[in-house]
Amino acid sequence: MDDHLLRDLTPQVLGALVRRGADFAAAEDAVQDALAEAVRSWERGAPDEPKAWLVTVAWRKFLDARRSASARALREIAVHREPAAGPAGQADDTLLLLSRCCHPALSPASAIALTLRAVGGLTTAQIARAFLVPESTMAQRISRAKRTLAGERFEQPGDVRAVLRVLYLMFDQGFSDRGYAGDKSTEDLSGEAIRLARQLVASVPRDPEAAGLLALLLLHHARRPARTDAAGQLVPLAEQDRTRWDTGMIAEGVDLLQHALAMDRVGEYQAQAAIAALHDDAASADETDWSQILEWYDELARISPDSPVVALNRAVAVGHVDGPLAGLRLVEALDPGLPRRDAVAAYLHERAGNRKEAARLYKAAADATAILAEHAHLLKQAARLNRG
């Protein structure tokens, strides 16, 4: 039994049922029943058309369930929806399913959870560990999401932008060390986001922002081996051992980015990927091309003029190009409650030689973050400056 094959086919089969008009929750139940039957029936090997086999069996399971509720409904579905004999269509319904899971009516947390369950194939227990909540809480969250989508018909994929946003948030959730909390039996959230982003790019090969997002995720994920030291402490980008970065992943990300930029429709994910690529291209922190990075932040600010996060990150680049005081003037104009504002101000104050103020701000930033690795790192920076 090829577990990887079943995992790859599950979202496609689920998407096929949804496209035919099956309710999301009922379709998922039918697919799970079909997978259970596949485990029993494929002991000697998968059929020649495994997806067609699963779609046929899952659809029959769905019809059987409907039969118990309404014989009349079954007859109508059998007439209008029963697939013709022969191989099933080979269109990948992953994009359709991702669009459904990322419906704007769902909160970001619910959309991520439903995506992991329906498209990623993770169990409710695994998703609960990812979000550090009890399994019962996550089960209720997923059930509410399904109820929200009940009755919605998705015959065509929805807005790809919504899918990109959910995948970005999913990656960030895992990359910020809020992933599977030591669960080695599954991929972490950032790895799962990359896997789904690959499927999305395959579904929309002419969408430069989909390619830009995948490039961005790869360029960040390539640094992950160097983000923590042997004791598990966070290592800032400037201090990372760059020989530990995944050069193959960086090369793939750069190729994707170049392909996306060649379409001449620059979007926010492509701009962010270009910034990440410039960081990854530097052999050392001192060799970072901050002038080019600032140019890309200027482009990003043009694309997302109302984003305080872009403004905050741009202030760091200005601090490197025009001096820390210039960067601080931009930070001071931002909302004091903006996440990471104090950490950025502390960094710029330290570069300006204001050690006492930098230490105070590092401590304030540590008190404000809920991410344990960041909390420990910021406290360490404050202590270092106070000792000096």
Side-chain angles (χ1 to χ4, degrees):
M1 174 61 62
D2 189 339
D3 293 337
H4 292 291
L5 174 63
L6 287 180
R7 180 173 180 176
D8 289 342
L9 289 177
T10 295
Q12 299 183 37
V13 176
L14 181 55
L17 266 64
V18 169
R19 176 163 47 81
R20 291 178 181 177
D23 176 78
F24 189 92
E28 187 179 35
D29 290 341
V31 171
Q32 292 303 315
D33 288 343
L35 291 174
E37 188 164 325
V39 170
R40 294 190 298 268
S41 303
W42 296 5
E43 291 182 356
R44 297 182 181 178
D48 292 337
E49 297 284 349
K51 177 183 173 182
W53 189 97
L54 285 169
V55 169
T56 300
V57 173
W59 187 249
R60 288 174 180 168
K61 297 288 186 183
F62 170 72
L63 293 179
D64 287 344
R66 290 292 296 269
R67 181 182 294 113
S68 62
S70 173
R72 179 180 177 182
L74 169 62
R75 288 194 297 271
E76 293 176 350
I77 292 173
V79 170
H80 297 290
R81 299 288 188 182
E82 182 69 37
Q90 295 303 307
D92 189 340
D93 288 301
T94 299
L95 179 57
L96 177 68
L97 195 57
L98 277 168
S99 299
R100 190 177 182 86
C101 292
C102 301
H103 192 278
L106 299 176
S107 69
S110 294
I112 293 173
L114 192 59
T115 300
L116 289 171
R117 181 74 180 87
V119 188
L122 275 63
T123 66
T124 303
Q126 290 169 340
I127 301 170
R129 285 195 292 273
F131 283 86
L132 305 179
V133 299
E135 183 176 352
S136 58
T137 300
M138 183 53 64
Q140 292 173 358
R141 182 179 299 175
I142 293 174
S143 294
R144 285 196 299 270
K146 291 179 181 179
R147 287 197 297 272
T148 299
L149 299 181
E152 294 279 356
R153 290 292 298 273
F154 285 79
E155 296 179 353
Q156 297 294 330
D159 185 6
V160 174
R161 305 281 84 74
V163 177
L164 295 176
R165 178 170 176 267
V166 168
L167 293 182
Y168 180 83
L169 291 173
M170 185 188 301
F171 177 86
D172 184 63
Q173 179 86 10
F175 197 71
S176 299
D177 297 319
R178 292 171 289 191
Y180 286 117
D183 179 9
K184 302 300 183 182
S185 64
T186 64
E187 298 169 309
D188 63 17
L189 283 173
S190 51
E192 184 63 19
I194 289 173
R195 190 180 77 86
L196 295 177
R198 290 188 189 281
Q199 294 186 16
L200 180 62
V201 169
S203 298
V204 285
R206 296 299 300 168
D207 189 315
E209 275 292 79
L213 175 68
L214 179 55
L216 174 63
L217 304 190
L218 292 170
L219 291 165
H220 277 300
H221 203 63
R223 306 181 204 141
R224 188 156 196 168
R227 289 187 74 239
T228 55
D229 59 20
Q233 298 295 309
L234 190 66
V235 180
L237 177 62
E239 300 172 20
Q240 289 177 14
D241 178 0
R242 301 183 179 216
T243 64
R244 299 181 62 196
W245 290 358
D246 188 328
T247 55
M249 192 174 290
I250 291 172
E252 182 186 359
V254 169
D255 286 344
L256 278 164
L257 175 60
Q258 291 175 341
H259 171 73
L261 293 175
M263 298 184 203
D264 199 25
R265 288 179 284 148
V266 177
E268 60 176 316
Y269 296 117
Q270 294 167 74
Q272 290 184 55
I275 292 167
L278 287 166
H279 280 297
D280 288 3
D281 184 57
S284 67
D286 291 338
E287 297 179 53
T288 303
D289 191 340
W290 283 104
S291 295
Q292 277 202 63
I293 288 175
L294 180 55
E295 289 179 7
W296 275 109
Y297 270 120
D298 290 341
E299 177 68 13
L300 191 54
R302 183 191 65 78
I303 296 169
S304 305
D306 299 323
S307 171
V309 175
V310 170
L312 183 63
N313 291 332
R314 181 178 177 276
V316 175
V318 169
H320 279 274
V321 175
D322 298 328
L325 295 181
L328 279 168
R329 285 193 290 272
L330 296 177
V331 173
E332 289 167 358
L334 299 174
D335 181 357
L338 180 65
R340 293 184 57 251
R341 179 185 183 274
D342 285 344
V344 169
Y347 173 75
L348 293 171
H349 271 293
E350 182 179 358
R351 288 182 58 85
N354 305 325
R355 295 172 63 88
K356 184 176 180 180
E357 179 64 6
R360 184 189 71 80
L361 287 166
Y362 275 130
K363 175 61 167 59
D367 292 340
T369 184
I371 302 175
L372 295 179
E374 285 187 9
H375 178 80
H377 169 70
L378 292 167
L379 285 181
K380 182 179 178 181
Q381 300 308 306
R384 173 179 57 81
L385 293 175
N386 283 326
R387 284 195 302 270

